[in-house]
Amino acid sequence: MIKQSKVTMKNLADELEISVSVVSRILSGKGAAYRISEETQKRVQETAAKRGFTVNQLARGLRLQRTHTIGLLMPDISNSIFSMIARSAEKAFRRNGYSTILCDTANDGEVEKQALGLLHDRSVDGILMAPVGGESQYIKAIFNHGFPIVLVDRFLDDLKIPYVTSNNYQGAYDGVLHLIDHGHRHIGFLQGIPDSKPSSERLRGYRQALQDHQIPFDARMVQGGKFEDHDGYISAQILLNYAERPTALFSCSSVAALGAMKACMEMNLRVPEDVSLIGFDEYPYASLLATPLTTIAQQTGALGEGASQMLLDWLDSGNPPESASVVLDTELHVRASVARVSNSEK
Amino acid sequence: MIKQSKVTMKNLADELEISVSVVSRILSGKGAAYRISEETQKRVQETAAKRGFTVNQLARGLRLQRTHTIGLLMPDISNSIFSMIARSAEKAFRRNGYSTILCDTANDGEVEKQALGLLHDRSVDGILMAPVGGESQYIKAIFNHGFPIVLVDRFLDDLKIPYVTSNNYQGAYDGVLHLIDHGHRHIGFLQGIPDSKPSSERLRGYRQALQDHQIPFDARMVQGGKFEDHDGYISAQILLNYAERPTALFSCSSVAALGAMKACMEMNLRVPEDVSLIGFDEYPYASLLATPLTTIAQQTGALGEGASQMLLDWLDSGNPPESASVVLDTELHVRASVARVSNSEK
DNA sequence: TTGTAGGCGTTATCAC
DNA sequence: GTGATAACGCCTACAA
């Protein structure tokens, strides 16, 4: 068999001795609309199939100014919460005919900025992202241009950019309350990226819970700055070396809580007898740990699905979502890492 | 400021009253080669910057027949081994000017097939993938067309498709040997997807280790069929309910091992006193488990980096890699989930 | 040193 | 019912 040249519409048209327009119309499902004869339709479809024709999405995108491509920006896809989000988003996109361009920003604002530019150059139709943190002029500019963008997990303050996230404030409040109910008054706080909403909102919940129980806030009790296990490990060491050692640690991520657990182990502190521990994010194997970890579970699946659906609706309808935000409840999963504070401690 | 129309090369050319070709040449760094006057170069670059021009990669790709896009197919990105691979591959690609189109095939051959077609339609320059399993005519066809494709973790038998993987046979052999050395002779095997190389090679290592120690192979001892935790959970229940209960379980993935651990817990079997357990893949928090899990660690980072580099080299040079395969060593991490078999058991 | 024109593969518009 | 033709934005042989 002779090596076929690439099969294009022009190609098929020549072979069938008809014009490209007809081929295009038939192959993009508009045969009926143009009342093209049954016969030609059949002929075209058959040879297209035989030759293994598929449309060139590049050319199509260029012509239509619509690529059916979505940019997905995640701060760290090795973190299970983001890999879950990525998984469900990519699936939803694909099912709706969109391809996903992935960028892992590694929690780096500079990378995020570049990635945003890159996605623009590739003419994506929309963007789903968990921003690195704080303020981003770029993101706002994109949104202000009317470009479809929705945020997931993390979001930004002052604009109406649609987002789906968890009720971080309430979740943290509940968790800290759980600790307070167990008699803890010295509670360390392992924060995530400080100017990210999840971290700042959780801190707000922490402070409110303290205040509601007449426990003074001590800035020294707030440590760390990433949602990573090693960060939790280091921060826990700092906190647990204080002369007045905290009796409990509240962590903004489950992986940081695991890091803290490791620190405790190395410092010969028992969890929960010596230190109680609680972590945001569910952790699938929490119950298999030496001390099963009490967690504040997010609805991970709903985060990814909700956000991607919001974006798809936007792309579909051409209009941004009515209600710009969805906030999902969290759930406290009580396991064994929180104990009543012993009497020997104040 | 008046709303600008989209800024294109033509656009800039009109504004500067020069031709598009000059603009194109300058903006694609060929100013010097064409000996374009310093002045025009400067003028063009400045207004391009001022207007925020960036090239339309769609048009560029269409013209150049090269998109600087790579397809990344992963069977399950929520599995940490694949999210690690995805992370390092995406990073390597981006650093080299390539964007990554992600497809999570969910271990489904049908999805894989569709995804492959989709990537073709999008004119990706190359593909990095961990195939779902067994035989795939599509993958072979792609490779036989000379299209740049490299496999990672999982690979295929009979063709010279380049791949990077771990020494699954040796790793499994080492692990089973470790069990045998501790007196185990009834060893259950929790397999992954049976016709995937990692699973079949690990099974081969298991069988060889048994044979080398005069332990008869019993097909009933092989259970399961996915690399997932629930699959390990179910399979462990089956194995541990045998009249002649295995004294040890070898799992083809660490998550399946965790599932098995959960099954043990629910059946009131202690690990390792009643059942020894070993899992392929490192698990970052293995040491924090109630019973720290003994594992066979893969060089996860090297897998992703090696494979993506191999593909990048191919794209760069235009030629497939000299040596079609890289096989990385594994390492046995002895923790506490394997015990000497007690005398009461045969 | 700069400009012109054709084409990458598709689709929409208008004409027949 | 079908066919030319232009255009999407870019690059490059060929001309000047």
Side-chain angles (χ1 to χ4, degrees), chain A residues 12-325:
Chain A
L12 292 173
D14 289 350
E15 180 177 343
L16 294 169
E17 298 185 309
I18 55 175
S19 74
V20 262
S21 341
V22 176
V23 176
S24 168
R25 295 196 262 253
I26 294 174
L27 260 25
S28 52
K30 295 185 183 127
Y34 280 87
R35 312 199 313 173
I36 295 171
S37 73
E38 283 299 325
E39 195 208 322
T40 6
Q41 294 219 33
K42 200 166 179 179
R43 247 168 25 108
V44 169
Q45 262 149 359
E46 278 174 0
T47 56
K50 197 185 306 168
R51 294 267 172 282
F53 170 86
T54 54
V55 321
N56 181 325
Q57 298 290 0
L58 240 44
R60 181 173 236 250
L62 182 61
R63 175 64 231 241
L64 260 30
Q65 303 286 57
R66 194 135 196 279
T67 56
H68 283 270
T69 294
I70 293 175
L72 179 65
L73 267 70
M74 295 279 112
D76 177 5
I77 209 182
S78 71
N79 181 328
S80 89
I81 188 161
F82 293 118
S83 67
M84 301 283 282
I85 291 174
R87 186 175 155 86
S88 58
E90 188 274 332
K91 184 175 175 184
F93 294 156
R94 185 157 33 76
R95 290 207 168 160
N96 285 272
Y98 288 87
S99 294
T100 302
I101 296 187
L102 171 71
C103 297
D104 185 307
T105 60
N107 273 313
D108 181 331
E110 197 53 37
V111 173
E112 178 175 278
K113 178 179 150 190
Q114 287 172 8
L116 250 18
L118 185 151
L119 292 173
H120 170 259
D121 296 351
R122 296 212 175 268
S123 314
V124 296
D125 291 340
I127 291 181
L128 180 62
M129 72 183 293
V132 168
E135 299 310 297
S136 169
Q137 300 310 322
Y138 308 93
I139 299 174
K140 292 177 187 172
I142 288 170
F143 175 72
N144 286 332
H145 266 46
F147 186 86
I149 179 168
V150 350
L151 310 182
V152 63
D153 183 53
R154 306 182 185 175
F155 62 101
L156 305 178
D157 246 338
D158 48 353
L159 262 196
K160 302 296 182 202
I161 309 182
Y163 63 85
V164 179
T165 187
S166 293
N167 194 332
N168 292 297
Y169 168 80
Q170 190 64 46
Y173 190 96
D174 294 348
V176 175
L177 192 61
H178 182 67
L179 292 170
I180 293 175
D181 282 348
H182 282 72
H184 295 277
R185 297 182 62 83
H186 286 75
I187 304 173
F189 185 85
L190 307 179
Q191 66 183 344
I193 297 177
D195 59 353
S196 71
K197 275 289 164 189
S199 189
S200 62
E201 282 293 287
R202 290 167 197 175
L203 181 56
R204 197 164 68 81
Y206 165 82
R207 295 189 66 159
Q208 190 62 49
L210 294 187
Q211 186 180 320
D212 288 354
H213 295 81
Q214 290 80 43
I215 303 173
F217 171 70
D218 177 356
R220 291 170 61 250
M221 290 299 238
V222 178
Q223 292 292 330
K226 299 178 184 175
F227 294 99
E228 293 170 10
D229 52 6
H230 189 66
D231 196 63
Y233 175 75
I234 299 295
S235 305
Q237 288 181 328
I238 294 171
L239 287 165
L240 297 174
N241 272 322
Y242 284 164
E244 196 169 26
R245 176 156 55 76
T247 60
L249 260 30
F250 179 96
S251 167
C252 274
S253 76
S254 58
V255 286
L258 294 174
M261 200 176 255
K262 190 168 166 216
C264 291
M265 195 174 279
E266 291 179 8
M267 296 171 82
N268 285 317
L269 293 169
R270 294 160 302 164
V271 179
E273 292 84 350
D274 301 317
V275 182
S276 286
L277 191 57
I278 201 166
F280 220 102
D281 296 342
E282 179 59 313
Y283 172 65
Y285 309 111
S287 61
L288 297 177
L289 295 169
T291 306
L293 183 66
T294 293
T295 60
I296 296 149
Q298 303 191 58
Q299 304 181 45
T300 325
L303 274 178
E305 285 155 25
S308 50
Q309 196 52 56
M310 196 179 259
L311 182 56
L312 286 168
D313 287 344
W314 187 346
L315 293 173
D316 210 40
S317 68
N319 304 113
E322 292 288 325
S323 62
S325 64

Side-chain angles (χ1 to χ4, degrees), chain A residues 6 65 68 99 122 283, chain B residues 6 65 68 99 122 283:
Chain A
K6 197 185 324 184
Q65 303 286 57
H68 283 270
S99 294
R122 296 212 175 268
Y283 172 65
Chain B
K6 198 182 325 182
Q65 303 288 59
H68 283 270
S99 294
R122 296 212 176 268
Y283 173 65

